[in-house]
Amino acid sequence: METSLLFVIMLIGVLGIGSQWLAWKYNLPAIVIMSIAGLIVGPFLGIMNPEASFGNLYNPIISVAVAIILFEGSLNLSFKELRGLGRPIFRIATIGAFIAWILGSLTAHYMAGLSWEVAFVIGGLFIVTGPTVIMPLLRQSKLKPRPAKILKWEGIIVDPIGVLLAVFAFEIITFFTSDAKDGSTLLLFFIAAIFAVFLGWFCGKTIGWMFETGYIPEFLKSPVVVAVVIFCFTLPDEVVHGTGLLSVTAMGMTLANIGISSLNDFRHFKENVSILLISAIFIMLASSLQLETILHIFNPHIIGYVLLMMFAVRPLSIFLSTIGSGLTIQEKSLVGWIAPRGIVALTVSSYFATILKEAGYQDADLLTTLTFGLVFFTVVSHGFSISPLAKKLHLSIEGNPGVIIVGSNPFTVELAKSFRKGERPVLVVDSSWENLRYARNEGVPFYHGEILSEQTEYNLDTIPYDFIIAATNYHSYNSLVCTTFMPEYGRMNVFKVDPNEDENNGDIVARVGGRSLCVEEVSLDELNEKIANGYVFKQTTLTDQFGYEQYKEEKDDEAVFLYFIKPTGQIYFYAVDMRSTPSSGDVIISLTPPSKEIQRQINNKK
């Protein structure tokens, strides 16, 4: 039975998103799961071959998807992030890329046996990493801000540079090997590259102006941006292959740095689309490979080439280019190791394999095998090693999941102290210096600033924190904070505390934003009053002999359940719609009346 195109599309979506879910559930590198899933249903079992199913649409679909992914990644490239990192990022993207090109080309010639012409083309292409592989790794591993920003900027900026280097190398080869030397092709290449940057900048500026002046309605913003991205990519790419990626990168960086207020309105949409596209493309590329290509990877020359690229070319290019840049030896070691190749390398190498073979270079047949070998080995090795290596080099945010509490008051400060007793990162954020006196007096970590401001986004490191609790005196503000951070933290990890019952008119605002903290109907005013009356935070460990049901029967009726901690360190907050219940070994934290605690202490002394 022949597989229908509809079935192929369905399978790509199920396998792609299913792989993402498995990776999230079991804390595995998503790109590894997707690659393995694609190989299983493609060359190993022969269930589908997207390249054959899509036919002439296959390459355009991949190209447009890569353009959208690269644009989405470049939307995160704000120059404000470069404070203190401008020099190393600039050197890696220029000097480091050039060194990697030369060393990679030499390796391809002497180890893989490619001709000089083909070696220099593929050497330029293999300097790319890209957001399709870097972003999933950064989501998986909690790197400290400096190495995370370096890897992100390098991956997005070097992506179009690598493609352009490969195109440039091919144009140089064509120029010097042709009988009638004509410099018009080289001139066209440079003009097209300059035009691509200008077009990207112009499109970014135009979209930003139209957004700010109201020329585009809210419901059309995301569709308009997608359409412009495709236009911005296609127009220069039709002139010179590869310049389209440069154009969409320039467009994204322009939008990221002109300071338009509505940027976040479509940024989350782009992130969702990007995840869908990355998932689909990895499945499509892996399942379209031929079994002969995969088996050829185990050729000693191919393996030797891959190992030299991973253990010699990449570390040398990073260490040499960052001399005197201010990076520590640990940061250089991590960045020098992490360089997975991804979608751009696979798609562009197939393009060059075709045109080089047509130009008479028979060794171009090896390009697909070399590329997949490098992609697969780097994705697997870097995907599984980034977290352990970061911890070994002390470049990861280790420890238990942390909590950001918005609003400084007696209850939130005592709540923060309970987290600190459990050795969990906690931070109290408030824009009022007067309110922060509660946190200052108790020695609780705090941040003075507006949590929703753009300045806070760049000054406050949120990587150590997995939960956010909005507990200020304003219903609407709590809901706004929760709504803003819900896409980043997830609905299950965003909570709010109702200030008081009188302000909740018709329960309208209470339905917006995050989940209400506590199962009991208790307001922030009541919680602060309990603190004033001497209520204490109490920890109770459940055992096989003293279970949850018995604990609930014996607890004080005035006690308020707040959260419980699993032996693994995972934290669960009490909420009306909570799905987990404590079990043996869990530690329950509750706000308990003082009388019963004092009585228990007296009984213990007896």
Side-chain angles (χ1 to χ4, degrees):
M1 178 180 175
E2 186 177 349
T3 304
S4 68
L5 181 58
L6 180 61
F7 180 82
V8 170
I9 294 173
M10 177 277 295
L11 197 56
I12 290 171
V14 170
L15 290 176
I17 301 304
S19 299
Q20 292 276 7
W21 182 84
L22 282 174
W24 165 80
K25 182 69 175 177
Y26 298 103
N27 196 28
L28 297 171
I31 48 181
V32 175
I33 305 298
M34 290 184 289
S35 300
I36 293 174
L39 291 175
I40 291 174
V41 299
F44 292 155
L45 298 181
I47 297 175
M48 69 174 185
N49 184 342
E51 186 173 10
S53 299
F54 285 96
N56 293 332
L57 289 175
Y58 180 79
N59 287 328
I61 289 173
I62 298 291
S63 298
V64 169
V66 170
I68 294 174
I69 293 167
L70 193 58
F71 169 75
E72 190 276 327
S74 61
L75 277 179
N76 300 310
L77 298 184
S78 173
F79 292 136
K80 293 181 180 179
E81 285 190 355
L82 291 178
R83 294 170 183 169
L85 291 175
R87 179 182 294 179
I89 290 175
F90 176 77
R91 288 189 178 183
I92 290 173
T94 53
I95 301 174
F98 180 77
I99 294 174
W101 179 28
I102 300 301
L103 294 180
S105 301
L106 293 173
T107 305
H109 176 71
Y110 288 108
M111 177 55 69
L114 296 180
S115 62
W116 281 113
E117 294 85 353
V118 177
F120 270 94
V121 171
I122 204 66
L125 178 60
F126 283 168
I127 70 171
V128 305
T129 52
T132 59
V133 282
I134 286 296
M135 294 306 185
L137 290 186
L138 295 182
R139 280 194 292 266
Q140 163 203 341
S141 58
K142 289 187 174 182
L143 293 183
K144 289 184 178 179
R146 278 171 59 92
K149 289 177 182 178
I150 290 172
L151 288 171
K152 180 182 75 174
W153 274 79
E154 182 205 7
I156 296 171
I157 293 177
V158 175
D159 233 25
I161 292 177
V163 177
L164 290 178
L165 276 178
V167 176
F168 175 70
F170 177 74
E171 296 296 344
I172 289 291
I173 292 169
T174 304
F175 175 76
F176 283 106
T177 56
S178 62
D179 295 331
K181 292 181 171 56
D182 183 7
S184 60
T185 305
L186 280 177
L187 182 62
L188 176 63
F189 168 78
F190 289 112
I191 293 175
I194 296 171
F195 170 73
V197 174
F198 172 78
L199 179 64
W201 171 85
F202 178 78
C203 288
K205 282 286 189 181
T206 303
I207 287 292
W209 175 77
M210 295 180 75
F211 276 18
E212 289 295 276
T213 53
Y215 277 95
I216 301 177
E218 293 296 322
F219 75 95
L220 279 180
K221 283 186 175 179
S222 292
V224 165
V225 170
V226 172
V228 174
V229 168
I230 297 174
F231 165 80
C232 194
F233 167 77
T234 305
L235 194 61
D237 209 68
E238 285 294 300
V239 180
V240 174
H241 184 77
T243 54
L245 296 179
L246 188 64
S247 185
V248 295
T249 303
M251 178 181 169
M253 291 182 65
T254 301
L255 279 171
N257 290 281
I258 59 178
I260 59 174
S261 58
S262 57
L263 181 62
N264 287 327
D265 295 344
F266 61 89
R267 176 176 281 163
H268 295 306
F269 168 80
K270 283 288 183 297
E271 290 173 352
N272 294 334
V273 171
S274 180
I275 290 175
L276 283 170
L277 293 176
I278 289 173
S279 304
I281 292 175
F282 260 101
I283 298 294
M284 290 173 65
L285 290 173
S287 57
S288 296
L289 289 169
Q290 301 297 319
L291 192 58
E292 296 78 19
T293 301
I294 299 172
L295 295 176
H296 197 198
I297 290 173
F298 298 99
N299 182 298
H301 293 287
I302 303 294
I303 294 177
Y305 169 77
V306 171
L307 292 177
L308 281 175
M309 290 291 290
M310 293 171 61
F311 292 97
V313 174
R314 171 66 178 185
L316 274 174
S317 65
I318 295 299
F319 274 85
L320 291 176
S321 63
T322 55
I323 294 174
S325 65
L327 293 185
T328 65
I329 188 67
Q330 292 85 356
E331 290 170 334
K332 291 181 181 180
S333 299
L334 180 68
V335 175
W337 168 244
I338 302 301
R341 275 65 167 188
I343 292 171
V344 172
L346 280 172
T347 54
V348 179
S349 68
S350 62
Y351 165 79
F352 279 113
T354 302
I355 62 172
L356 284 170
K357 191 173 180 181
E358 290 175 353
Y361 298 98
Q362 296 303 316
D363 54 343
D365 285 334
L366 283 175
L367 289 190
T368 303
T369 303
L370 279 175
T371 306
F372 181 73
L374 189 62
V375 168
F376 185 76
F377 282 114
T378 55
V379 161
V380 172
S381 59
H382 297 159
F384 282 108
S385 65
I386 183 171
S387 295
L389 180 61
K391 291 179 181 179
K392 186 73 174 177
L393 297 174
H394 305 291
L395 294 176
S396 67
I397 307 296
E398 301 182 50
N400 295 318
V403 184
I404 290 179
I405 304 176
V406 182
S408 177
N409 51 65
F411 166 71
T412 58
V413 168
E414 292 300 320
L415 179 63
K417 289 168 64 177
S418 74
F419 291 129
R420 296 197 74 191
K421 287 181 181 178
E423 298 182 348
R424 297 178 178 279
V426 64
L427 187 70
V428 175
V429 180
D430 204 305
S431 59
S432 169
W433 187 252
E434 181 180 357
N435 290 343
L436 283 173
R437 72 183 186 277
Y438 298 109
R440 298 199 309 270
N441 292 339
E442 295 296 332
V444 172
F446 65 89
Y447 177 84
H448 179 221
E450 171 54 61
I451 189 69
L452 298 177
S453 73
E454 184 181 3
Q455 194 66 25
T456 299
E457 181 181 350
Y458 296 109
N459 293 336
L460 181 60
D461 177 20
T462 60
I463 293 178
Y465 310 103
D466 297 89
F467 303 92
I468 188 165
I469 300 174
T472 70
N473 293 322
Y474 303 98
H475 264 297
S476 56
Y477 183 76
N478 293 341
S479 297
L480 181 60
V481 169
C482 292
T483 302
T484 302
F485 286 94
M486 195 178 296
E488 179 179 351
Y489 285 83
R491 182 181 179 277
M492 303 303 291
N493 296 342
V494 176
F495 300 88
K496 61 183 177 181
V497 181
D498 297 330
N500 54 64
E501 296 181 359
D502 296 334
E503 192 178 320
N504 189 9
N505 298 327
D507 200 32
I508 295 176
V509 179
R511 296 178 184 272
V512 181
R515 306 158 69 199
S516 293
L517 187 66
C518 304
V519 176
E520 302 87 351
E521 292 186 3
V522 57
S523 67
L524 182 60
D525 290 345
E526 292 173 332
L527 291 171
N528 282 326
E529 185 178 351
K530 291 179 184 295
I531 297 295
N533 291 333
Y535 276 58
V536 294
F537 281 78
K538 177 186 173 184
Q539 294 186 0
T540 304
T541 303
L542 300 181
T543 63
D544 293 333
Q545 294 75 28
F546 183 68
Y548 186 49
E549 295 300 325
Q550 183 180 353
Y551 169 71
K552 289 195 296 183
E553 292 176 2
E554 296 184 8
K555 82 172 183 70
D556 194 294
D557 293 337
E558 297 297 320
V560 178
F561 289 154
L562 295 172
Y563 61 94
F564 63 92
I565 305 172
K566 292 284 185 183
T568 58
Q570 182 61 44
I571 185 171
Y572 292 90
F573 287 92
Y574 277 89
V576 176
D577 57 347
M578 65 182 296
R579 301 173 184 175
S580 300
T581 55
S583 57
S584 178
D586 295 351
V587 179
I588 301 176
I589 288 80
S590 59
L591 188 59
T592 306
S595 56
K596 191 163 186 176
E597 182 68 20
I598 294 173
Q599 185 64 46
R600 191 179 299 276
Q601 292 177 2
I602 293 174
N603 293 337
N604 290 337
K605 289 181 180 179
K606 292 180 180 179

